[in-house]
Amino acid sequence: MASLPDGARRRLAERRGRRAEGVAALWLRLKGYRVLDRRVRTPVGEIDLVLRRGGTLVFAEVKRRVALADGMAAVGPAQRRRIGRAAEW
């Protein structure tokens, strides 16, 4: 992928991200969550998935990584704050 031009690399990453969001949404639906919205854009940031299960409202950030730990590490404190601000908006 490093040999691809920047535009092609971005398109590939976008396609992979959308596919990962679709897989995450399907998996969460199977777990009993209802998908309320996807790719919600707010003035303060984007939320990948908005879901509900019972009385719980969930704002999910989806990361496509090989290992769970890598995905968890990819969402740092600044990104958590941005997601929180977007959810409050």
Side-chain angles (χ1 to χ4, degrees):
M1 189 161 118
S3 63
L4 293 173
D6 285 344
R9 196 178 354 214
R10 278 192 292 274
R11 285 189 301 275
L12 181 59
E14 176 75 18
R15 200 166 40 242
R16 286 179 174 168
R18 284 185 183 270
R19 189 175 308 131
E21 289 171 10
V23 169
L26 176 61
W27 185 78
L28 289 163
R29 285 185 65 209
L30 293 172
K31 295 290 185 180
Y33 290 86
R34 183 170 151 231
V35 178
L36 302 178
D37 211 344
R38 293 175 67 169
R39 295 190 153 230
V40 177
R41 293 184 189 271
T42 73
V44 293
E46 181 184 276
I47 300 172
D48 293 335
L49 298 172
V50 179
L51 311 112
R52 179 181 300 278
R53 185 166 84 172
T56 304
L57 188 60
V58 177
F59 300 93
E61 176 72 16
V62 177
K63 294 293 183 186
R64 181 185 180 270
R65 301 291 190 273
V66 174
L68 176 62
D70 295 337
M72 297 296 290
V75 182
Q79 193 166 16
R80 286 189 183 116
R81 285 191 298 274
R82 179 194 53 79
I83 294 165
R85 284 192 309 270
E88 287 174 0
W89 187 86

